[in-house]
Structure formats: structure tokens, C-alpha cells
């Protein structure tokens, strides 16, 4: 995979939005600079998830942005998404790779150096770095652990969890390839302005974003 796709990684959350508003937010984010989109839905039926993923993929394809499906290998394959992201309570990594094949992107969440080294993914999502309402019970991963992981793995690493424009400077010299952001984008009053501001600030944080 192209590590530059991970620079500004939008992870979706619908909050109380209807579908039209939700899709419009994704479109605005894609138009203004997010580099990857993960569709994350925990409560939808399989049919509803599939149909929503189809609609989201129409948007991401329009902007030539990779679409990652959270957890659901079946949905990833059904809509021909770019890949899937799994947590430590999902299918084993080896089985997931067998199902999606060698050409799709496989992202794995991790919190420790030991699990990161053993993950066998195309990229790693590390966090929660800061407290987050998206996963209220998520344990916070210290910046020192994030740095240790990026130093010991060959695959790109994305920081996730409570990441906001105001704390992006925290990630300078951590070795990450990008940041994954949920509420800072999905709940922004002006998504276009927010994404542009995030991209500008990331230029001072990521060594490959110039």
C-alpha cells in the first residue's frame, strides 16, 4: 500500500445524522483533503451496511480515495473496497488475509510493541492516544509506546483516538505515517475548512508531507 494514503485518515461516525447528511460530510472531507476513509458501522444489519458501503464507495471512488471497511470482511469484498481494518477481537490476521487475498489492504489495531511486531498487517492503527468519546472505555496508549512501535515495525503506523487539530503537534518526531480522525471532522461545523486546516498543520508534523 501507499503510506501517503494514511496522512489524514477519516474514520466515520454517524452520530445523529441522517444518511444524506452523513454522505455529504464524507464528500466534503474527500473533496478537501482526507487521504483515506474507513467506514465504521457497529449497529447496522448486513444488508444496510452493504448498501451504505456502496454509496460511500461511489464518493471515495469519485475522489480516488481508498475505502477501508471496519471489521467486516464480507462487506469489504462485496463492495470491492480497498481493504479492511480489524481489531484484536476480530478474525485472526492470517485468516483475514486469506479471505481478502494479497492485493487488498489489511489494517490492524494494536496497543503494544509485542502485538505490533507480530501483527502482520499492511499498516497499524495505534491508540487511543488521547481520551475519546468514540470509544469511551478505550485505554490510553502513551506517546512513548507509539514511538516504540514506529521504531520497531516496518509497516506504516497511524495514530488514533482523540486526535484533534489542537494536539497534532504532539505527533512531531513520532515516526507515524498519519493520523486517524473521527469527531474532529465528522462533527466540525465547516468540514471543508477543518480538513484544510488539518492538512496545513500536518505539514509541520509528518516528515513525508511537504
Amino acid at each position: 500500500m501507499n503510506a501517503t494514503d494514511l496522512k489524514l485518515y477519516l474514520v466515520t461516525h454517524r452520530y445523529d445524522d441522517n444518511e444524506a447528511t452523513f454522505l455529504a460530510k464524507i464528500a466534503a472531507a474527500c473533496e478537501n483533503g482526507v487521504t483515506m476513509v474507513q467506514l465504521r458501522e457497529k449497529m447496522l444489519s448486513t444488508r444496510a451496511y452493504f448498501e451504505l458501503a456502496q454509496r460511500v464507495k461511489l464518493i471515495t471512488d469519485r475522489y480516488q480515495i481508498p475505502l477501508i471497511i471496519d471489521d467486516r470482511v464480507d462487506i469489504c469484498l462485496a463492495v470491492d473496497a480497498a481493504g479492511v481494518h480489524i481489531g484484536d477481537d476480530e478474525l485472526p490476521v492470517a485468516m483475514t488475509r486469506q479471505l481478502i487475498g494479497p492485493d487488498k489492504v489489511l489494517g490492524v489495531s494494536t496497543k503494544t510493541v509485542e502485538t505490533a511486531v507480530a501483527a502482520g498487517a499492511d499498516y497499524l492503527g495505534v491508540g487511543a492516544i488521547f481520551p475519546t468519546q468514540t470509544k469511551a472505555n478505550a485505554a490510553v496508549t502513551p506517546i512513548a509506546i507509539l514511538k516504540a512501535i514506529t521504531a520497531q515495525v516496518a509497516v506504516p503506523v497511524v495514530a488514533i483516538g482523540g486526535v484533534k487539530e489542537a494536539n497534532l503537534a504532539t505527533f512531531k518526531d513520532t515516526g507515524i505515517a498519519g493520523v486517524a480522525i473521527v469527531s474532529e471532522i465528522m462533527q466540525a461545523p465547516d468540514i471543508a475548512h477543518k480538513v484544510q486546516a488539518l492538512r496545513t498543520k500536518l505539514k509541520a508534523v509528518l516528515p513525508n508531507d511537504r
Side-chain angles (χ1 to χ4, degrees), residues 72-144:
R72 297 289 298 270
V73 171
D74 57 339
I75 302 298
C76 169
L77 295 174
V79 303
D80 193 25
V84 66
H85 188 97
I86 59 173
D88 54 11
D89 57 349
E90 310 303 330
L91 282 173
V93 172
M95 177 56 68
T96 303
R97 174 58 73 194
Q98 182 178 330
L99 290 170
I100 67 174
D103 298 326
K104 290 198 179 297
V105 175
L106 176 55
V108 175
S109 296
T110 185
K111 292 179 177 296
T112 68
V113 174
E114 292 74 19
T115 57
V117 171
D122 293 311
Y123 75 88
L124 298 172
V126 177
I129 303 300
F130 303 103
T132 171
Q133 293 182 349
T134 306
K135 288 189 176 181
N137 60 347
V140 171
T141 301
I143 290 292

Side-chain angles (χ1 to χ4, degrees), residues 7 11 41 50 52 60 79 81 87 128 153 160 173-174 181 195-196 198-199:
K7 286 180 184 178
V11 179
E41 292 287 341
F50 166 67
L52 180 63
T60 56
V79 303
V153 299
I160 189 170
D173 300 325
T174 59
I181 293 181
V195 172
Q196 292 164 13
L198 289 165
R199 283 300 301 259

